[in-house]
């Protein structure tokens, strides 16, 4: 479906982690979901388009800044973090 719909893809390491960027009707990023389906905690590095800073929507409102071209976050086992562009 990614190719069929022409959706953008984002680099993520390790590839077991999933990242999706949700945009409004004008293409402005509104939410970034980072998902770890693995049964263990994992540290992930990912890109999210041209975004430079993210803030966690739920929880402690932790901020992430892009360094060396990527964001880095440690995710608990089987968890999802939701961020908004800052």
């Amino acid at each position: 479906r990614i190719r069929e719909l022409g959706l953008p893809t984002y680099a993520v390491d390790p590839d077991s982690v999933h990242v999706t960027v949700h945009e409004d009707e004008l293409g402005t990023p509104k939410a970034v979901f980072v998902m770890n389906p693995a049964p263990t905690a994992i540290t992930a590095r990912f890109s999210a388009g041209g975004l430079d800073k993210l803030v966690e929507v739920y929880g402690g409102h932790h901020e992430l800044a892009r360094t060396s071209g990527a964001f880095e976050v440690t995710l608990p086992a089987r968890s999802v973090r939701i961020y908004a562009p800052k």
Side-chain angles (χ1 to χ4, degrees), residues 1-75:
R1 297 288 307 190
I2 291 170
R3 281 188 296 257
E4 180 182 324
L5 297 173
L7 299 173
T9 58
Y10 303 99
V12 62
D13 181 51
D15 61 4
S16 61
V17 172
H18 305 282
V19 174
T20 183
V21 178
H22 291 257
E23 302 172 339
D24 66 13
E25 58 278 346
L26 299 176
T28 304
K30 294 297 182 180
V32 177
F33 292 78
V34 185
M35 299 158 271
N36 175 18
T40 58
I42 199 161
T43 298
R45 290 182 46 83
F46 64 94
S47 67
L51 300 174
D52 292 319
K53 291 185 181 181
L54 299 172
V55 62
E56 190 175 10
V57 174
Y58 300 105
H61 299 288
H62 179 252
E63 290 188 20
L64 295 179
R66 187 173 62 164
T67 56
S68 300
F71 294 99
E72 184 172 299
V73 64
T74 299
L75 300 161

